[in-house]
Amino acid sequence: MIKKISTNFDTVEMMLFIWQSIADKEKVADSFFIELANNKNMKYLYGEEFDEDSVRKVLSAISNREVLNNASKKERKFWNNNMWMLEDLDNMNNMVKPVKLLNLNDLKLRLNGETKFEEVEVIFIPGHEEEYYIDGNKLVINFFRLMVDFMDESKVTISGKPLDEYIEEKLLEMVK
């Protein structure tokens, strides 16, 4: 029986600081990029073409307004995703708001029954390619895959589904 569903958007909060600082033409120290890269939730992004140094390299290039040289496909995708946030801070804020206000308590009842976990965590990270990852009792969602409806900014979807429905679908996949 699921007793608790929590959300974690620590890495997105760190990215908010970075995006706002860069937009305000403030310098962000490489040590902050390294701290982000070493965050335990970022490990889901790391593999053959993208690692902790990739995060630092990409964000440092953006912060210093430099060209990203000798980048892998995943590093270029991460660069593009971050530049997208910087180009439209209003859209970025509209993506962040529903994540911050996300309340998944009503899902506990719908997900109960024969489940593997008592606690489930929904984590949002600034990803590069994959839409989501499932790791035990953790559902990790790529923040960059959220889409805001330009006609109604209160509507946020992922893969064409409202955010809460998408999360419920993935949690059902995870807990059964």
Side-chain angles (χ1 to χ4, degrees):
M1 180 167 158
I2 295 177
K3 295 180 181 175
K4 180 179 178 185
I5 300 176
S6 60
T7 57
N8 179 325
F9 48 91
D10 293 346
T11 56
V12 173
E13 288 281 357
M14 293 175 82
M15 291 305 302
L16 286 171
F17 171 78
I18 291 169
W19 295 325
Q20 193 61 58
S21 295
I22 292 171
D24 292 341
K25 298 185 181 354
E26 295 175 11
K27 178 74 175 130
V28 180
D30 271 4
S31 60
F32 194 79
F33 300 144
I34 292 167
E35 182 181 339
L36 170 70
N38 290 328
N39 183 291
K40 66 181 179 180
N41 294 326
M42 293 293 285
K43 72 179 180 182
Y44 297 102
L45 302 176
Y46 301 148
E48 204 171 292
E49 291 179 14
F50 194 86
D51 59 16
E52 291 92 339
D53 193 53
S54 298
V55 172
R56 185 208 53 77
K57 178 172 98 173
V58 169
L59 294 176
S60 183
I62 292 170
S63 178
N64 294 322
R65 290 160 178 73
E66 299 171 346
V67 176
L68 183 64
N69 293 317
N70 303 319
S72 69
K73 179 183 176 186
K74 290 179 181 179
E75 288 171 339
R76 286 190 307 273
K77 182 70 174 173
F78 189 68
W79 184 87
N80 284 333
N81 287 341
N82 281 282
M83 291 303 290
W84 171 47
M85 293 294 104
L86 289 168
E87 290 170 3
D88 190 350
L89 293 178
D90 287 335
N91 184 58
M92 178 265 302
N93 285 320
N94 288 331
M95 291 169 65
V96 168
K97 188 187 297 184
V99 172
K100 283 186 171 184
L101 299 175
L102 195 60
N103 184 344
L104 302 173
N105 285 332
D106 60 325
L107 285 180
K108 285 191 289 190
L109 296 173
R110 293 197 302 259
L111 293 173
N112 275 328
E114 299 293 322
T115 63
K116 298 187 251 184
F117 308 109
E118 287 189 4
E119 292 188 13
V120 174
E121 185 175 23
V122 179
I123 303 168
F124 290 87
I125 60 171
H128 45 66
E129 291 186 324
E130 300 298 323
E131 187 173 275
Y132 72 98
Y133 307 86
I134 292 177
D135 181 19
N137 69 333
K138 294 174 177 30
L139 170 62
V140 182
I141 298 174
N142 183 348
F143 174 77
F144 293 128
R145 294 296 180 105
L146 299 177
M147 292 292 143
V148 176
D149 184 332
F150 293 108
M151 300 303 283
D152 182 354
E153 295 166 349
S154 68
K155 292 183 182 177
V156 177
T157 61
I158 184 167
S159 280
K161 297 177 181 144
L163 181 59
D164 55 343
E165 287 179 26
Y166 178 86
I167 291 172
E168 181 177 8
E169 177 184 292
K170 298 307 175 200
L171 288 178
L172 279 169
E173 177 183 327
M174 183 174 81
V175 300
K176 297 297 177 184

